[in-house]
Amino acid sequence: MSKPLEDLKVLIVGAGFAGLTAAIECRKRGATVILFDSASSRRQLGDIISFGSNSGRIFRSWPGVEEKLDPICHHSDGLVFRAFDDDYLTTQKWGAEADWGKRFNGHRGEIHEIVWDHAVDIGVEIRLGSKVTEYFETDTEAGVVVKGEKISADVVLAGDGVRSTARTIVLGFEDKPKSSGYAVYRSWMPTDKLKEDPLTAWLADPTIDHHVGWLGPDVHFLVATLQKGTACSWVLTHKDEADVEESWSAPGYIEDAVKAVEGWAPIVHAIIRATPEDSLVDWKLVFRDPLPTWISPKRRIALMGDAAHPFLPTSIQGASQSMEDGVTAAICLERAGKANVQEGIQAYEKIRYERVHAVQHTGVTNRDNWHKADFDYVKKNPESVKLPRQDWVLNFDCSTHAYDVYDETVKSLREQP
Ligand SMILES: Cc1cc2nc3c(=O)[nH]c(=O)nc-3n(C[C@H](O)[C@H](O)[C@H](O)COP(=O)(O)OP(=O)(O)OC[C@H]3O[C@@H](n4cnc5c(N)ncnc54)[C@H](O)[C@@H]3O)c2cc1C
């Protein structure tokens, strides 16, 4: 049976979750897809990453992927909130959103590997060690330059992350990041040392995963255990005015992390001190103003994921939104067809733009709800620390939405002066 994109050639830059999702979704519609990544080899990088129900449904639509994700992901029925002195505040149960669909939280590298394997299985060509150094486009084609070689296609989808160079091409100027005033110490570690300390041994529970958040003035510390009590991941978000540098591999130091929670409960210190220093990362959180556009002048190159819209982790939506981009771009290309790629790319931007910016903003409101809280108030009103879980964000099917609104979106684009 013929597929709608069999005559389309798509180049994708960046094998993160935006790039892999776009690649899978274009390939399953028949397109020829080449995916370039600058990394020289596939490595399991990162630590904990969260996918809400809105992107969980995308994983579940890919045959065999959910079954592989289940055993490596975190499974708890709620997030326990405690104050910095370890006073119990409240528990946020996820039961109320059960019918929104499954969430997947786990090691970024492990989840990434499963999605990567699926992309390769369905025929996506992935070229590693392939840093894209230039982009070009005409009215009839678009392409990239890799190691001096010019490669052309019908369209280029660029998901090259927070330090995107594609963004500069699309905008025509370099969009500098700004410090958000916060940074995150993060770690993924085995639980061996936690087991040795009576204060922390309960976390390494083989029968149930734990998810606990300790909150204090302008700092929050979240801990999750998974994989039958053998793995633990924690993130400590704190004030940081240091120079802006985005990196998933900048080393962090235990003493610095301990200093950020001075005066906090002994259990918090014990978890940090049980962390092997070589597993600690210091990640600066940056902001970028919303880009005026995600698409190139001739509308054959489009930005996706963090390249188009970096998220604060407190939105818990960065990876999910990058996947929604990938699905939406593929559907718009399907509906547009090879002859109307440029219209499809315009529709992709229009369908995604406002939703993404609204979700991005939740990162700031969620963070401020925890960091700016008055703890006398919080102790009297513990429910106030619960994360808002919005139906419009999480109970959302980006695929159905794109099919539903494509025609009206194109109509409104055609009517624009
Ligand atoms: C190494 C790494 C570790 C991460 N760890 C975590 C984590 O632990 N927790 C978390 O929540 N988020 C993590 N993230 C970020 C998270 O994956 C993204 O915020 C989110 O999933 C959106 O993904 P993305 O595809 O837009 O960008 P990314 O995931 O950043 O992917 C961008 C990809 O583009 C490639 N690339 C960049 N420039 C070029 C170029 N010129 N040519 C070719 N390829 C290029 C990069 O190698 C990378 O693979 C990590 C990202 C990276 C790259």
Side-chain angles (χ1 to χ4, degrees), residues 13-19 36-39 45-50 108 130-133 135 159-162 165 186 248 304-307 318-319 322:
V13 185
F17 286 101
F36 303 95
D37 201 282
S38 50
L45 295 169
D47 46 76
I48 197 95
I49 195 163
S50 302
R108 187 217 183 241
S130 297
K131 183 177 173 128
V132 169
T133 49
Y135 293 76
D160 57 345
V162 281
T165 46
R186 356 185 6 126
W248 284 99
M304 307 178 294
D306 284 354
S322 79

Side-chain angles (χ1 to χ4, degrees), residues 291-365:
L291 302 183
T293 180
W294 305 346
I295 61 179
S296 60
K298 292 189 186 295
R299 307 196 296 273
R300 284 186 180 269
I301 305 172
L303 302 176
M304 307 178 294
D306 284 354
H309 44 68
F311 272 73
L312 289 177
T314 37
S315 69
I316 329 175
Q317 272 290 309
S320 293
Q321 292 301 314
S322 79
M323 292 182 70
E324 286 192 5
D325 284 351
V327 171
T328 308
I331 291 171
C332 289
L333 288 170
E334 173 193 327
R335 293 299 315 276
K338 187 179 171 84
N340 292 310
V341 161
Q342 289 150 299
E343 196 166 70
I345 287 299
Q346 256 186 306
Y348 152 71
E349 178 188 56
K350 193 161 170 67
I351 292 172
R352 295 291 299 145
Y353 197 85
E354 276 179 27
R355 171 170 168 79
V356 167
H357 288 306
V359 181
Q360 240 175 337
H361 190 63
T362 64
V364 180
T365 47

Side-chain angles (χ1 to χ4, degrees), residues 210-286:
H210 291 281
H211 198 188
V212 187
W214 282 268
L215 310 181
D218 241 337
V219 180
H220 72 263
F221 181 63
L222 296 176
V223 176
T225 59
L226 58 174
Q227 302 180 358
K228 299 195 187 305
T230 60
C232 173
S233 177
W234 61 260
V235 293
L236 169 58
T237 303
H238 61 103
K239 293 284 279 178
D240 187 310
E241 302 297 343
D243 282 351
V244 171
E245 192 189 328
E246 296 150 294
S247 168
W248 284 99
S249 51
Y253 301 98
I254 299 293
E255 289 310 320
D256 293 345
V258 167
K259 226 178 272 164
V261 287
E262 214 173 329
W264 283 37
I267 184 170
V268 172
H269 287 235
I271 296 167
I272 298 174
R273 292 212 180 273
T275 307
E277 195 152 61
D278 61 2
S279 77
L280 189 61
V281 169
D282 181 9
W283 178 45
K284 311 292 180 202
L285 292 180
V286 300

Side-chain angles (χ1 to χ4, degrees), residues 16-286:
F17 286 101
L20 284 169
T21 304
I24 291 167
E25 292 290 317
C26 287
R27 179 65 200 143
K28 82 181 197 198
R29 291 172 170 80
T32 301
V33 180
I34 308 177
L35 175 49
F36 303 95
D37 201 282
S38 50
S40 54
S41 62
R42 192 169 77 158
R43 286 183 299 147
Q44 288 200 346
L45 295 169
D47 46 76
I48 197 95
I49 195 163
S50 302
F51 296 88
S53 312
N54 54 323
S55 54
R57 67 171 70 228
I58 303 172
F59 286 139
R60 297 176 81 192
S61 73
W62 297 336
V65 168
E66 176 182 5
E67 293 73 8
K68 290 185 184 150
L69 290 177
D70 272 340
I72 61 156
C73 283
H74 171 86
H75 304 278
S76 66
D77 62 355
L79 167 57
V80 177
F81 287 102
R82 312 190 77 92
F84 54 94
D85 53 8
D86 206 32
D87 262 10
Y88 173 79
L89 295 172
T90 186
T91 299
Q92 181 152 17
K93 295 271 186 193
W94 308 125
E97 55 194 71
D99 58 353
W100 294 352
K102 216 183 221 178
R103 299 170 299 120
F104 295 90
N105 300 328
H107 191 288
R108 187 217 183 241
E110 294 174 358
I111 297 177
H112 187 245
E113 188 166 294
I114 290 167
V115 174
W116 179 299
D117 287 345
H118 179 65
V120 172
D121 285 350
I122 65 167
V124 172
E125 180 187 343
I126 303 185
R127 297 191 190 170
L128 277 168
S130 297
K131 183 177 173 128
V132 169
T133 49
E134 281 176 53
Y135 293 76
F136 58 87
E137 62 174 343
T138 66
D139 287 329
T140 53
E141 61 172 17
V144 297
V145 176
V146 178
K147 294 183 244 177
E149 186 193 351
K150 251 180 128 173
I151 303 147
S152 305
D154 295 293
V155 59
V156 177
L157 300 174
D160 57 345
V162 281
R163 293 170 165 181
S164 169
T165 46
R167 185 166 45 216
T168 308
I169 309 292
V170 164
L171 291 178
F173 61 88
E174 196 185 341
D175 172 61
K176 294 261 190 214
K178 300 179 204 162
S179 169
S180 69
Y182 290 85
V184 189
Y185 293 114
R186 356 185 6 126
S187 179
W188 180 282
M189 61 183 186
T191 50
D192 308 341
K193 283 218 152 172
L194 295 175
K195 282 184 201 152
E196 290 167 11
D197 184 341
L199 260 185
T200 56
W202 60 274
L203 281 165
D205 184 340
T207 61
I208 185 170
D209 292 344
H210 291 281
H211 198 188
V212 187
W214 282 268
L215 310 181
D218 241 337
V219 180
H220 72 263
F221 181 63
L222 296 176
V223 176
T225 59
L226 58 174
Q227 302 180 358
K228 299 195 187 305
T230 60
C232 173
S233 177
W234 61 260
V235 293
L236 169 58
T237 303
H238 61 103
K239 293 284 279 178
D240 187 310
E241 302 297 343
D243 282 351
V244 171
E245 192 189 328
E246 296 150 294
S247 168
W248 284 99
S249 51
Y253 301 98
I254 299 293
E255 289 310 320
D256 293 345
V258 167
K259 226 178 272 164
V261 287
E262 214 173 329
W264 283 37
I267 184 170
V268 172
H269 287 235
I271 296 167
I272 298 174
R273 292 212 180 273
T275 307
E277 195 152 61
D278 61 2
S279 77
L280 189 61
V281 169
D282 181 9
W283 178 45
K284 311 292 180 202
L285 292 180
V286 300

